[in-house]
Every structure is written in C-alpha cells, then in structure tokens.
C-alpha cells in the first residue's frame, strides 16, 4: 500500500472510532475501539515513515524497533502502549472508559506527529 492508501485507511478508521465512541454506552465497544485505534495508528505510522523515509512496514511486527531506529522513540513508546492496552482489552474489563480516553489521546499524538 502506498502512503496515500495508508492515510486513507487511517481516516476511515478514525471515522469508525468517532462512530463507536459517540454511543452513550461506548464502553461496550471497548475492544473494537482499541483495535481500531491500533489499526489507525499503524496506518499513520506507515504513512509518516513512507513520506519521510521512502519505506515502511505493512505489519505491526517490528514497528516499534523501526521507529526507534529512525529516531522516533516517543512514537515507539506510544505505539507500544497501544499494543499493551490492546492486549489488555481481550482479557480485562475494569477501567474501560479510561482506556478509551487514553487510546484516543495516543492516537491524537500519533496523528499530529504523522501530519507534521
């Protein structure tokens, strides 16, 4: 997928997140929201790496390492935190409102970095 394709996919996923979080009972969608945030973040990272460095990974495997190698340690940390939150939503359930808010904050930070 090229950079524009990644940006398009990220935008589609962000629209989905907006839809899911507009539900007054959004906590019942927490796993879907976290997964979609993770996917949008992955596409934003791929977009940024492609436009800045001419290459990217089409999978999340190795993404954190590549971000660190390219000098984006803060973004690597944020992506890693999303990965941890993602895994926790399959097994946990407490604090889902806070998890949704944190995921949205992280995605906003990654979006700002990718757009910059």
């Amino acid at each position: 997928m090229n950079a524009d394709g990644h940006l398009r996919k990220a935008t589609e996923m962000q629209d989905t997140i907006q839809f899911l979080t507009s539900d007054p009972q959004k906590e019942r969608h927490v796993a879907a929201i976290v997964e979609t945030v993770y996917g949008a973040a992955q596409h934003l990272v791929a977009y940024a790496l492609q436009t800045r460095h001419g290459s990217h990974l089409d999978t999340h495997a190795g993404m954190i390492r590549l971000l660190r190698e390219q000098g984006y340690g803060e973004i690597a940390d944020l992506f890693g935190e999303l990965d941890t939150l993602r895994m926790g939503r399959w097994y946990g359930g407490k604090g889902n409102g806070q998890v949704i808010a944190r995921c949205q904050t992280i995605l906003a930070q990654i979006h700002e970095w990718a757009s910059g």
Side-chain angles (χ1 to χ4, degrees):
M1 183 179 291
N2 65 22
D4 289 337
H6 282 293
L7 187 57
R8 229 180 353 268
K9 276 293 187 190
T11 301
E12 289 172 12
M13 290 179 164
Q14 288 172 308
D15 289 346
T16 300
I17 295 160
Q18 179 74 25
F19 175 77
L20 291 172
T21 57
S22 68
D23 184 338
Q25 297 177 3
K26 65 185 172 197
E27 289 189 20
R28 66 189 181 134
H29 305 296
V30 68
I33 292 167
V34 173
E35 283 293 323
T36 308
V37 166
Y38 187 81
Q42 182 178 340
H43 281 290
L44 288 169
V45 168
Y47 167 79
L49 291 175
Q50 182 64 41
T51 57
R52 294 175 188 177
H53 302 283
S55 66
H56 66 279
L57 299 174
D58 276 331
T59 176
H60 68 276
M63 187 78 75
I64 293 171
R65 185 186 76 248
L66 180 59
L67 284 165
R68 289 195 193 292
E69 288 171 357
Q70 295 292 344
Y72 305 115
E74 181 180 346
I75 300 303
D77 291 344
L78 291 170
F79 195 79
E81 185 178 348
L82 276 180
D83 196 36
T84 299
L85 291 169
R86 177 180 171 237
M87 287 185 289
R89 289 314 91 204
W90 290 112
Y91 304 106
K94 294 184 179 179
N96 285 339
Q98 294 87 356
V99 167
I100 291 170
R102 180 62 185 147
C103 285
Q104 289 179 293
T105 298
I106 292 170
L107 184 58
Q109 291 174 287
I110 291 174
H111 185 110
E112 183 179 333
W113 166 79
S115 299

